[in-house]
Amino acid sequence: MVKAEGVHKSYGQVEVLKGIDLEVKQSEVFCLVGPSGSGKSTFLRCINHLEKINAGRLYVDGDLVGYQQRGDRLYELKDREVALKRQDIGMVFQRFNLFPHMTALENVIEAPVQVKKENRAAAKERAMALLERVGLADKAGNYPTQLSGGQQQRVAIARALAMQPKLMLFDEPTSALDPELVGEVLDVMRGLAEEGMTMIVVTHEMGFAREVGDALVFMDGGVVVESGHPREVLTNPQHERTRAFLSKVL
C-alpha cells in the first residue's frame, strides 16, 4: 500500500529525513515510534504530500505521491491532481482540527458533499452510521466545544472515514488527550484494524503498538534505526539506541 525509497526531506539546511526505505502492506497496522524530532510526523505528512520530499520516491497503492514520471524525469502534479489523490488517504492529527462552527454531523459530511459532490441525504446517512461506529451517534448535534477531547478525536476519525479512504494516517492521535480519554480513541482504532483498514500510526502508546501493530519502525535522527514485529522490537531490541529509548518509555 505504501512504499518509500530513499526519501529525503530538508527544511533549509536542516535534514529531517535522511533516506527512508520502508514498505507498508495492505491491511497492515504499521507503527512509527521514536523520540520527538526524529522525523516521524514529517514522514507521515510526506505520504499525502502535505510536505514535498526533496529526493527519493513515495508510492501509495502503486502511484507516485505528488509526481508523475515521464521517461527519466519526475514532474510535480498540479494542486488539483494532488487533492484528488489525497481523497484516498485519511489523516487524523494530534489536534482535532474540527470546524468549530459546525456540529459533529456537519463536520463529518462536509468533505463528501463539498469535495466529492455526494448527495447530502446519502452523506448524512453514512455520517450517522460512522458516528454510531465511533460511539457518538447521540452527539451528532453537538459542537466541538461541547465535546471532550476524546470525543472530538473520535469525530475526527469519523470525518476521515467519511471519504472512504484506502489508507489512514494517525499522527499521535492520543497525545493531546487526558489519560482517561486515550482508551476510547484506541478502541476505535482497534476496531478499524480488525476490519482490515491499512493504518500508519505515529504513536507513543507502546501497548497499542504491541497488541494491534503488525509492524513497527523505530526512527531517530531522520533514519530507520530498527524495524520488525512490534513484540520482537519492544521485548528484544537489537540496537543500542532503540534500547535506550524504550528504557525511558516502557
Side-chain angles (χ1 to χ4, degrees):
M1 182 59 79
V2 178
K3 186 175 185 181
E5 299 176 344
V7 170
H8 288 255
K9 172 65 184 175
S10 298
Y11 298 100
Q13 299 299 309
V14 181
E15 197 175 14
V16 180
L17 300 176
K18 302 173 182 175
I20 302 294
D21 296 289
L22 54 81
E23 286 189 23
V24 181
K25 299 184 181 72
Q26 189 156 356
S27 299
E28 196 167 52
V29 178
F30 192 96
C31 297
L32 285 172
V33 304
S36 296
S38 58
K40 310 180 301 296
S41 294
T42 298
F43 178 69
L44 208 66
R45 292 170 66 83
C46 289
I47 292 171
N48 62 3
H49 209 57
L50 287 174
E51 300 286 356
K52 299 176 184 180
I53 65 176
N54 299 111
R57 299 274 196 283
L58 254 176
Y59 300 87
V60 171
D61 201 18
D63 292 332
L64 267 172
V65 174
Y67 297 90
Q68 186 178 57
Q69 185 153 353
R70 295 183 218 140
D72 296 333
R73 299 196 62 182
L74 287 183
Y75 295 86
E76 190 168 2
L77 296 176
K78 293 184 171 67
D79 288 347
R80 181 178 173 77
E81 294 170 305
V82 171
L84 275 172
K85 300 262 189 188
R86 200 178 279 144
Q87 290 179 28
D88 292 331
I89 305 172
M91 187 155 184
V92 178
F93 300 86
Q94 290 180 43
R95 300 287 167 186
F96 326 118
N97 291 359
L98 297 177
F99 296 115
H101 62 292
M102 293 183 181
T103 64
L105 180 65
E106 289 166 345
N107 265 283
V108 177
I109 68 173
E110 179 71 4
V113 170
Q114 297 298 333
V115 179
K116 285 192 165 181
K117 307 302 180 191
E118 282 187 21
N119 173 276
R120 194 170 189 87
K124 186 174 179 180
E125 187 177 333
R126 201 168 80 252
M128 281 305 301
L130 286 168
L131 288 172
E132 176 83 44
R133 185 171 165 188
V134 299
L136 290 172
D138 60 329
K139 303 290 185 185
N142 288 39
Y143 290 91
T145 54
Q146 299 169 315
L147 301 172
S148 71
Q151 289 169 336
Q152 289 186 62
Q153 193 62 295
R154 284 186 280 155
V155 172
I157 293 171
R159 180 178 63 177
L161 292 173
M163 293 295 279
Q164 299 173 293
K166 60 178 82 165
L167 168 67
M168 285 284 283
L169 309 177
F170 292 88
D171 188 6
E172 296 188 28
T174 59
S175 66
L177 301 179
D178 292 334
E180 68 264 28
L181 302 177
V182 167
E184 62 192 49
V185 173
L186 294 181
D187 284 345
V188 171
M189 293 169 66
R190 277 191 193 91
L192 289 177
E194 286 164 10
E195 291 164 19
M197 174 63 75
T198 310
M199 298 157 62
I200 304 179
V201 185
V202 173
T203 186
H204 293 300
E205 301 291 338
M206 298 302 162
F208 174 84
R210 186 189 288 111
E211 293 163 36
V212 184
D214 298 300
L216 181 142
V217 157
F218 171 66
M219 285 178 65
D220 189 31
V223 299
V224 172
V225 176
E226 191 164 341
S227 62
H229 191 277
R231 286 193 187 91
E232 282 292 310
V233 176
L234 294 175
T235 56
N236 188 28
Q238 300 299 301
H239 196 283
E240 177 56 39
R241 182 66 189 93
T242 316
R243 286 196 288 272
F245 173 76
L246 292 176
S247 71
K248 293 184 174 71
V249 299
L250 289 178

